[in-house]
Amino acid sequence: MTATDERELPGPATGGRRPLEGLVVVGLEQAVAAPIATRHLADMGARVVKVENPRGGDFARHYDGALNGMAAHFVWCNRGKESVTLNWTDPRGAEVLERLLSRADILIQNLGPGAASRRGVAAEQACARHPRLIAVDISGYGEGGPLSHKRAYDLLVQSEGGSCAVTGEPGRPAKAGIPLVDLATGMYALSSVLAALHARSATGRGSAIAVSLFDVVAEWMGYPLNYTQGTGVEQEPAGVGSPAVAPYGAYLTADGQTVVLGTTNDREWQRLARQVLDRPDLADDPAFAGNADRVRERAQLDEVIAAWAKGVTLDRAQQILDDAELGNARLNGVQDVLDHPHLAARDRWHEIDTPTGPTRALLPPPIAAEWAPPMGAVPALGAHTDSVLAELGYAPEEITALRRDRVV
């Protein structure tokens, strides 16, 4: 390959055709939102080149050393990628990046506010130079608003967007335990890329796409926003439950476990009251006839269900609820999920390589008979720099000079 070749950056050979095989993704990414989107593109067969700062790389590499000395977040979000270290604030580094973009199909970036625009790699700028490119800007608050300049992390945007206020217990707001807004934003980026690829197949042109964490959390707040807009009432959070539905919650059992159960319609409430609780009087009481009635009388119903649960073991409670065709679950901890027999029985765990040795990782959720995810290795920082530079047309002595001057 020469420096003037375009659209030719083949990936390593793989067995079996995967949906995005042959596509090249460039990730100017850090933390979770962009990396989880590009990891899913890698799971679908795309070649993902992760561009990292030579001075430490993606800061998520250093959150902890929980998994064989590697950061748990980083291993989760970055398998199956190639890592290239590049100081693209240096003109020579910028030229390397431009060569890479000229051969790429997709660019996803979630740099700090204004950083991509200052360097000419914001989505609209990159697409103007490379019309077939699909480019996605992931930001905290989007452009044109009073918060656009602010840094945005998952906790901050959950707080600003109201999701903390509807999580937790009354008077005790809480952040969702997983980085919910980061993940949701990554999935919107992913779905937008797939839509843009479909459009490009018809038009031959790429797309400049913008997704902000704040817009995502506002969208996912649809139910509480509509409820308050319509009633003027801000519902209290309901812990392991829902302010929208009752009965629906977590209850201690006789053996010290917790059963989670719920009803989502009037028919299920009737089965719960008659078959499980043996309380036909509650089933016939008009005070509990509709869901809105039961929400209003939540405390009374919780007392009745809690008393029933205390009289049975978890296994017995779940058997009774299953027999009544009512939804139920065990309240599990993290180790319980690691050891979950349902994951084991369905072969959901797969071994992947990391720079510090093999580890287990879950297969991605989509299951397709025609293709399997490659489940590639987690890259060491800069592990693919030399090979990618060579593909981009750089001679060995040029690579040596870039390394000497700390451009890579």
Side-chain angles (χ1 to χ4, degrees), residues 192-210:
S192 299
V193 164
L194 299 179
L197 285 169
H198 179 71
R200 192 179 74 173
S201 68
T203 67
R205 297 187 63 83
S207 302
I209 301 163

Side-chain angles (χ1 to χ4, degrees), residues 323-344:
D323 289 345
E325 298 183 7
L326 294 171
N328 65 89
R330 178 189 184 210
L331 185 64
N332 280 325
V334 176
Q335 187 64 52
D336 297 321
V337 179
L338 284 169
D339 300 333
H340 208 296
H342 195 70
L343 293 174

Side-chain angles (χ1 to χ4, degrees), residues 35-81:
I36 198 68
T38 58
R39 198 215 78 190
H40 280 287
L41 291 169
D43 288 338
M44 295 175 186
R47 183 184 183 186
V48 177
V49 180
K50 182 181 181 76
V51 178
E52 301 189 68
N53 189 318
R55 297 183 296 279
D58 182 343
F59 57 74
R61 284 183 178 272
H62 312 290
Y63 279 162
D64 54 57
L67 196 61
N68 298 330
M70 296 199 69
H73 274 96
F74 189 84
V75 172
W76 170 39
C77 294
N78 290 283
R79 68 163 187 262
K81 302 179 184 180

Side-chain angles (χ1 to χ4, degrees), residues 375-397:
M375 300 295 286
V378 176
L381 179 61
H384 304 87
T385 302
D386 286 4
S387 60
V388 170
L389 287 174
E391 289 182 74
L392 294 175
Y394 287 89
E397 59 273 17

Side-chain angles (χ1 to χ4, degrees), residues 57-199:
D58 182 343
F59 57 74
R61 284 183 178 272
H62 312 290
Y63 279 162
D64 54 57
L67 196 61
N68 298 330
M70 296 199 69
H73 274 96
F74 189 84
V75 172
W76 170 39
C77 294
N78 290 283
R79 68 163 187 262
K81 302 179 184 180
E82 300 174 39
S83 172
V84 171
T85 52
L86 181 64
N87 175 13
W88 49 281
T89 64
D90 183 292
R92 290 168 294 174
E95 169 58 24
V96 173
L97 181 59
E98 195 62 17
R99 290 195 198 186
L100 186 55
L101 292 180
S102 72
R103 294 153 172 80
D105 297 278
I106 299 156
L107 166 66
I108 300 182
Q109 67 85 15
N110 67 332
L111 304 173
S117 295
R118 289 193 297 272
R119 297 296 173 184
V121 292
E124 290 189 358
Q125 295 169 318
C127 288
R129 299 192 303 277
H130 308 288
R132 283 182 52 83
L133 185 67
I134 295 164
V136 182
D137 292 337
I138 295 177
S139 67
Y141 293 100
E143 296 296 323
L147 302 183
S148 297
H149 68 287
K150 294 178 71 71
R151 289 190 173 273
Y153 308 124
D154 186 88
L155 167 63
L156 306 180
V157 181
Q158 283 202 41
S159 299
E160 193 75 41
S163 64
C164 290
V166 299
T167 308
E169 304 285 349
R172 300 178 62 187
K175 171 192 172 295
I178 59 175
L180 184 68
V181 182
D182 279 339
L183 296 174
T185 304
M187 293 302 96
Y188 276 112
L190 173 67
S191 61
S192 299
V193 164
L194 299 179
L197 285 169
H198 179 71

Side-chain angles (χ1 to χ4, degrees), residues 162-176 221 223-224 227-228 233-245 248-249 295 298-299 302:
S163 64
C164 290
V166 299
T167 308
E169 304 285 349
R172 300 178 62 187
K175 171 192 172 295
M221 284 284 288
Y223 165 73
Y227 188 93
T228 300
V233 175
E234 293 196 26
Q235 294 173 310
E236 295 275 14
V240 184
S242 168
V245 183
Y248 198 73
V295 168
R298 180 194 307 276
D302 279 346

Side-chain angles (χ1 to χ4, degrees), residues 298-321:
R298 180 194 307 276
Q300 181 180 345
L301 292 177
D302 279 346
E303 286 184 12
V304 174
I305 299 169
W308 168 80
K310 285 180 181 178
V312 292
T313 64
L314 174 68
D315 286 346
R316 181 58 181 153
Q318 292 198 279
Q319 184 61 59
I320 293 169
L321 291 163

